[in-house]
Amino acid sequence: MNTARFKALLETCPPSVLFDARARDLPAGEADDANRTLPAFFEHSLLKNVVVLKTVGRETPGPIGAAVQTRIYVPFDSKRADHGGVSMVYGDDLQLSDLEKFTDAKIDPARIEADLQKLKLLARLPSFAPFLMRDAFERANLAADLRHFKVSDAEANAMRDTLKAKLKPLAAMALALPANAVGDSRLDMLARKLWELDDANFLKAFGHALKIPEGETLDTLYAWIGVAFFQREFAKRQAKLRELAAWLSQKREPQEMRNEFVRSLEADRGQLRDALRRAWTQAGQTFERYNKSYDALIADSDALPLVEYLRNVRGDVITLGAQLALLEQCLGVYEVAARAGRGNPEAEELVRDLAASLRGPESRAA
């Protein structure tokens, strides 16, 4: 990722791919007289100015298409993150020694343990969508200032209520009731258990009923909830993605195509267009499988399609996270490039850099 594309991400700030962990002044509507500054998300001095990103790496064979990476970015200038910096790709197996090598500093394990746990949780998330982050940190009981996640209590509660409603047919199945049964007070209680995922005995019995392998029930049900969340996120972006597809499909005049640089640029635009088409098509196929299994449960009280779907749902949620990361990065580039106008050299470089990231590993320098 070059500095121009990182700057574009900072400007457009698509929340699902970029988490700005730096301290900052809150907008007037989010601050009170006693607390106008949002403190840094990480406590250790080495991490106070970092930005964490979900970046898209080289396209790979198989269902995901584009590999999503979690990356720590440390700016050279703490006040101007877009003036360059260094970054490191990491996973949920991050060790203290990895951070010491990256920062070229000896770190006291006790002072950074809490931040290390935060970083590992961020790596496990398929997306930095604010609701998903807030929910994950609350479930993990990791202390964090929720204002960093840019989602209000009302929004979070509304999302939870929507997702809990989708869990009621599963609760009905556990009670051997018709999936469209209403008015049974036990449904609300079991839907809450399926949402909270905190009752080990209930989850064991429920997982057995759904033929989920031993020890995988919690992760499987959480992934199922994740697919429901992503379905809503993709739907919200549909109109903007149509604009992006149309922009990438604009044709050049024949005389322009005689220029070698223009031909190369159009090849890059074509690569992004094809990658977007694959991501959108694959996501649509995932949601179709999800909807069919859910509809069979509701309309026919038939749990077999759901049992079959749950076998691969954990892979689906990872795939959807990667696909959303690709869509969001393309949308960020589009917003900046479209504003600059066609033919703008900086806009063209953004397109070329993003396309290049799909062809090979990105360098350590951002």
Side-chain angles (χ1 to χ4, degrees), residues 259-275:
N259 184 292
E260 183 177 352
F261 174 80
V262 172
R263 290 198 301 271
S264 176
L265 177 61
E266 288 306 294
D268 287 336
R269 289 166 66 93
Q271 182 180 7
L272 291 182
R273 184 174 61 249
D274 292 343

Side-chain angles (χ1 to χ4, degrees), residues 244-251 266-279 330 358:
L244 170 58
W247 180 74
L248 287 171
S249 300
Q250 291 176 354
K251 299 294 185 182
E266 288 306 294
D268 287 336
R269 289 166 66 93
Q271 182 180 7
L272 291 182
R273 184 174 61 249
D274 292 343
L276 279 172
R277 185 184 296 114
R278 282 192 294 273
C330 288
L358 299 179

Side-chain angles (χ1 to χ4, degrees), residues 103-336:
T103 59
D104 195 25
K106 190 67 177 175
I107 304 173
D108 180 352
R111 290 184 55 210
I112 204 166
E113 178 58 28
D115 286 341
L116 198 61
Q117 294 307 312
K118 289 180 181 179
L119 285 168
K120 289 181 178 181
L121 180 54
L122 292 175
R124 288 195 292 271
L125 291 174
S127 165
F128 289 158
F131 172 80
L132 208 60
M133 291 183 66
R134 174 170 172 155
D135 181 62
F137 272 83
E138 288 179 342
R139 287 179 187 272
N141 291 317
L142 284 181
D145 192 324
L146 299 182
R147 293 174 298 172
H148 273 284
F149 303 147
K150 297 182 180 178
V151 57
S152 68
D153 289 343
E155 290 174 311
N157 290 335
M159 174 64 77
R160 288 191 182 101
D161 289 343
T162 298
L163 296 179
K164 282 181 184 177
K166 296 187 76 70
L167 290 169
K168 283 195 174 183
L170 274 70
M173 185 178 65
L175 292 172
L177 295 171
N180 56 1
V182 294
D184 193 312
S185 61
R186 293 172 296 173
L187 282 181
D188 288 329
M189 178 190 70
L190 289 184
R192 184 199 65 76
K193 285 179 178 289
L194 288 171
W195 171 259
E196 299 293 345
L197 300 175
D198 59 357
D199 186 329
N201 291 330
F202 170 75
L203 290 177
K204 183 177 181 179
F206 191 78
H208 181 72
L210 284 175
K211 300 180 182 179
I212 299 172
E214 188 74 23
E216 297 181 9
T217 302
L218 191 151
D219 288 343
T220 298
L221 289 177
Y222 190 67
W224 189 87
I225 294 170
V227 173
F229 171 79
F230 278 126
Q231 187 174 37
R232 183 176 182 272
E233 293 299 293
F234 272 78
K236 284 163 56 178
R237 291 159 176 78
Q238 189 168 9
K240 203 69 177 177
L241 286 168
R242 288 198 184 100
E243 291 181 20
L244 170 58
W247 180 74
L248 287 171
S249 300
Q250 291 176 354
K251 299 294 185 182
R252 295 273 188 172
E253 296 295 331
Q255 59 269 26
E256 293 181 280
M257 295 300 293
R258 296 171 187 164
N259 184 292
E260 183 177 352
F261 174 80
V262 172
R263 290 198 301 271
S264 176
L265 177 61
E266 288 306 294
D268 287 336
R269 289 166 66 93
Q271 182 180 7
L272 291 182
R273 184 174 61 249
D274 292 343
L276 279 172
R277 185 184 296 114
R278 282 192 294 273
W280 186 258
T281 299
Q282 290 166 0
Q285 292 168 347
T286 298
F287 296 138
E288 184 178 6
R289 294 196 310 273
Y290 168 82
N291 289 334
K292 282 184 176 180
S293 69
Y294 187 76
D295 291 344
L297 183 64
I298 293 177
D300 305 322
S301 296
D302 182 3
L304 289 179
L306 178 64
V307 170
E308 180 66 27
Y309 176 72
L310 289 177
R311 292 179 181 175
N312 299 307
V313 69
R314 289 192 293 171
D316 280 349
V317 80
I318 294 171
T319 299
L320 289 169
Q323 290 160 347
L324 184 62
L326 173 62
L327 298 181
E328 286 284 42
Q329 291 204 49
C330 288
L331 286 171
V333 166
Y334 164 64
E335 185 171 329
V336 174

